[in-house]
Amino acid sequence: MRLILLGPPGAGKGTQAQRLVEKHGIPQLSTGDMLRAAVAAGTEIGKRAKAVMDAGELVSDDIVNTIISERIDQPDCARGFILDGYPRTLVQADAVEAMLSAKGTKLDSVIELLVDDKALVGRIVKRAEEAAAAGQPVRKDDNPEVFQDRLTEYYKKTAPLTGYYYAKGTLRTVDGMLSIDAVTEEIEAVLASL
Ligand code: AP5
């Protein structure tokens, strides 16, 4: 199963991807996690990405396309994977299609999580508060000011993917305002219908 989880920042992509990993035994490919790991490790990519991520903007298409292209070549992706936070631009969407086509395969589904903007910012603020209270690192982009820029980037560059995948017939939508368990159930229902 090759699946994309699409949705604005805080929509629940990472949360649901982890549940899909447990249930279906395929890896979660989160470009956000991979970029944060590169920043923490101080790699060349991490150095280039850090300021862009802290500002809530998108890292260049070339960087993330290379990361994903190398990742999906790994043996654990042979049975499928869940793309979380990628693609995020039309250029990335074309790139992943070309990558899969070169392997003689294609995406099975794109599931978009629909969540109100107000709820999104509430989730991000709550996550930051909970991390701080637990003594864990707080993401530099998890605050209301940077969140607004992340949301603007989403509407400018990522939201057009909805039309892109709708036109291809692969788009399914799920109400991301439901509880985490209910969203999982909706996603499983979509997957069962494929
Ligand atoms: P990334 O790490 O991908 O962040 P994001 O898309 O902004 O998403 P989040 O991780 O904040 O949210 P999510 O949808 O995964 O929700 P989550 O499950 O965590 O990207 C970070 C940055 O990296 C980007 O800004 C960019 O700079 C760069 N980047 C990454 N990919 C890129 C790409 N492809 N191209 C260019 N740049 C890229 O949930 C959020 C919170 O809500 C959690 O606390 C969770 O417990 C809670 N929650 C989840 N579901 C529910 C629910 N149903 N009800 C109530 N609470 C819920």
Side-chain angles (χ1 to χ4, degrees), residues 7-16 30-33 35-36 52-53 56-61 64 84-89 92 113 123-124 126-127 130 139 141-142 150 176-180 183:
K13 304 181 294 294
T15 303
Q16 296 301 329
S30 159
T31 38
D33 287 349
L35 289 166
R36 278 186 288 278
V52 180
M53 294 174 76
E57 292 164 12
L58 292 189
V59 174
S60 79
D61 290 328
V64 288
D84 158 15
Y86 178 92
R88 255 174 150 103
T89 65
Q92 293 176 25
L113 303 178
R123 288 181 187 181
I124 293 298
K126 188 165 168 239
R127 175 166 66 187
E130 285 174 352
R139 273 173 58 170
D141 58 352
D142 267 359
R150 287 163 66 190
M177 294 292 289
L178 301 172
S179 71
I180 292 175
V183 174

Side-chain angles (χ1 to χ4, degrees), residues 32-47 49-50 53 137:
D33 287 349
M34 292 185 230
L35 289 166
R36 278 186 288 278
V39 170
T43 65
E44 203 46 52
I45 282 181
K47 284 179 196 156
K50 186 178 184 314
M53 294 174 76

